[in-house]
Amino acid sequence: MIPLLSANLFRLRRDPLLWLALGVCLAGSAAFSASFRDTPSFDDVYFFPFCVALCAFLSLFLGREYGDGTLRNKVAAGFRRWEIYLAYFLTALVVDLCLLAAFLLPFALANGPALAGLAGERLALVLLGVVLLTVAMTALLTAVSCCVSHWAVGVMVNLGLWFFLMFGAYQVSFALGQPAYVTELSVDDQGNVVESDPIPNPNYLGQPLRTLAEGVEACLPHGQLNTYVSYLTHYFYVQSEGLDPAETGWEDESFLTRSPLCALAVTAGVTAVGLTVFRKKDLK
């Protein structure tokens, strides 16, 4: 597998599309930094350039192996399919980490003083979680790119899949955010606004659907990203108001340790499925 990985990395270094993707991530980081300096809050919309660049580049880089016959030549040369697949996945991880570094490091350097207020342990857990959720997304993109023969189809499938998972995460988060009880406002005969007693919210997710939805949100990469973004936005808002974040933080921070484990589980599961399909795929 080492020769395969070395060849992939050599080809990667000479690929102009990688430098274009890095430029996209640097531009996204600059926009993120400018917005954060104006308003110290996080928004997942600034992660879009990174996500789109990762989806597009991996689909093109891995998908072209089918078109130019390189993949068939590797199999004919005696390399086993699991070696080829894992070499692709490790190459994709290198791309993921490079693009993520291009996105996060300029932002961290430009906003170091603000980030210094975040407790070291929390910051490390958030950074670890963000890295691992992108690893899970990379595993998914690799599986699709290795199992779809045409690179153009692979690009469309990966981008469509990313948008689908993103909006799915939004919908799950919205459903989980519904309160158990709501009140209704009405106007009495004197023109006064009257608030009713709390009534059950028909849109509230009860058990067992609530537990299922929480599990889905914890496993979706963008669901994890939304949680981290909301957590950091709350933290810096409280800090900007002169309050102690340690006393007004989230009551439950278990997601800081749960989300990385979920990301690792998703990575392992997707890689196993992708490898199984790839080993049975007809490469002709």
Side-chain angles (χ1 to χ4, degrees), residues 26-109:
L26 288 172
S29 181
F32 191 12
S33 298
S35 174
F36 188 83
R37 283 178 175 271
D38 182 56
T39 304
S41 63
F42 287 77
D43 195 326
D44 63 328
V45 69
Y46 292 108
F47 284 82
F48 286 10
F50 163 77
C51 295
V52 172
L54 183 65
C55 286
F57 179 78
L58 290 183
S59 301
L60 291 170
F61 183 82
L62 300 180
R64 284 179 298 181
E65 295 278 290
Y66 280 102
D68 57 18
T70 303
L71 192 54
R72 291 191 297 272
N73 292 337
K74 289 178 179 179
V75 174
F79 291 104
R80 288 167 290 187
R81 292 202 183 196
W82 69 265
E83 293 179 308
I84 297 173
Y85 187 93
L86 292 183
Y88 283 149
F89 178 51
L90 292 176
T91 304
L93 284 183
V94 172
V95 175
D96 169 42
L97 295 177
C98 289
L99 296 184
L100 190 61
F103 179 75
L104 292 181
L105 284 180
F107 173 81
L109 293 174

Side-chain angles (χ1 to χ4, degrees), residues 256-267:
L256 290 175
T257 54
R258 182 179 64 248
S259 293
L261 296 177
C262 291
L264 288 174
V266 170
T267 301

Side-chain angles (χ1 to χ4, degrees), residues 140-154:
L140 183 60
L141 298 176
T142 303
V144 172
S145 299
C146 287
C147 296
V148 175
S149 302
H150 198 285
W151 64 266
V153 177

